[in-house]
Amino acid sequence: MILCWNDDDEVYYGYKLLNSSALFRLASSQDGFGLSYIGSDGNQGWVVYLIATTDICDKYGICGPNGASSIDKSPVRSCLKGFAPTFQQDWDLVDWSYSCVEKSQLNCSGDIFKKYSGVNLPSTEQSWYNTSMNLKECEMMCMNNCSYTAFSNLDIRDGGRGCLLWFSDLIDIRYSNINGQDI
């Protein structure tokens, strides 16, 4: 069973095992894939139970900062609107190891946020949230502080609630045909 918790410092997910005597852990490999381990009897330690990957877009950070992946497009990687590949010649050779950079310096008082729909939200490593704010308050907070880079609902159930703000490069955005959100 999948569970979700949050406290003042973080939002996190976990599993509740049906067999409470089993040991189970989740990790991310160096390649960015999700790994499930199960504790084994004897001296074998942890045994890989499942490698969670279905396509290249499942690899964490495959598109680098300010890039997005879509398995339905070719190439699968693109830069967000207003951004361009750091080294176009490398992108042309399908080397996506570099980030996307701003095409021009952002104008904090004149630029507006661009809405992306149907995406898996980026990594929340550099983010902040508030459970009591609504999306309009979230947007106003973003518009009044040039250090924020994106915003979204914290919880999309029942029309949405809460505020999730990013204040750094956006990493690990993926366009999704299923369960995508707005950012």
Side-chain angles (χ1 to χ4, degrees):
M1 174 189 318
I2 298 175
L3 305 170
C4 176
W5 300 273
N6 68 291
D7 59 30
D8 290 342
D9 297 319
E10 60 191 353
V11 175
Y12 48 97
Y13 294 90
Y15 287 88
K16 181 177 181 181
L17 298 176
L18 298 176
N19 179 353
S20 61
S21 65
L23 295 174
F24 184 78
R25 73 178 171 126
L26 298 173
S28 180
S29 71
Q30 290 177 335
D31 294 331
F33 295 112
L35 300 170
S36 298
Y37 293 91
I38 192 161
S40 70
D41 293 335
N43 294 328
Q44 293 179 12
W46 293 101
V47 176
V48 175
Y49 174 72
L50 176 68
I51 298 174
T53 178
T54 57
D55 58 54
I56 193 166
C57 290
D58 282 340
K59 185 175 179 183
Y60 177 78
I62 186 70
C63 294
N66 306 308
S69 66
S70 175
I71 198 64
D72 299 332
K73 295 182 181 175
S74 181
V76 298
R77 183 180 183 200
S78 62
C79 290
L80 299 174
K81 292 174 188 161
F83 291 83
T86 305
F87 301 106
Q88 184 66 51
Q89 66 275 16
D90 291 336
W91 269 59
D92 294 342
L93 297 172
V94 195
D95 177 357
W96 301 323
S97 56
Y98 297 99
S99 64
C100 298
V101 294
E102 295 172 90
K103 288 180 182 178
S104 60
Q105 186 69 19
L106 289 177
N107 175 356
C108 192
S109 61
D111 287 334
I112 58 171
F113 286 89
K114 294 166 181 59
K115 182 178 180 179
Y116 292 90
S117 296
V119 300
N120 292 351
L121 297 180
S123 171
T124 55
E125 198 171 335
Q126 298 291 315
S127 68
W128 176 86
Y129 74 95
N130 182 305
T131 58
S132 64
M133 293 172 69
N134 63 38
L135 193 59
K136 192 65 181 166
E137 292 168 325
C138 193
E139 179 181 13
M140 293 309 300
M141 189 166 189
C142 253
M143 297 298 282
N144 292 324
N145 186 335
C146 212
S147 65
Y148 291 117
T149 55
F151 66 94
S152 182
N153 273 125
L154 179 62
D155 184 347
I156 59 171
R157 293 176 296 179
D158 303 323
R161 61 179 171 257
C163 172
L164 181 56
L165 296 159
W166 285 264
F167 48 87
S168 186
D169 289 329
L170 303 176
I171 299 172
D172 208 33
I173 293 178
R174 177 185 177 150
Y175 291 99
S176 176
N177 295 328
I178 303 169
N179 299 325
Q181 293 180 237
D182 293 342
I183 185 171

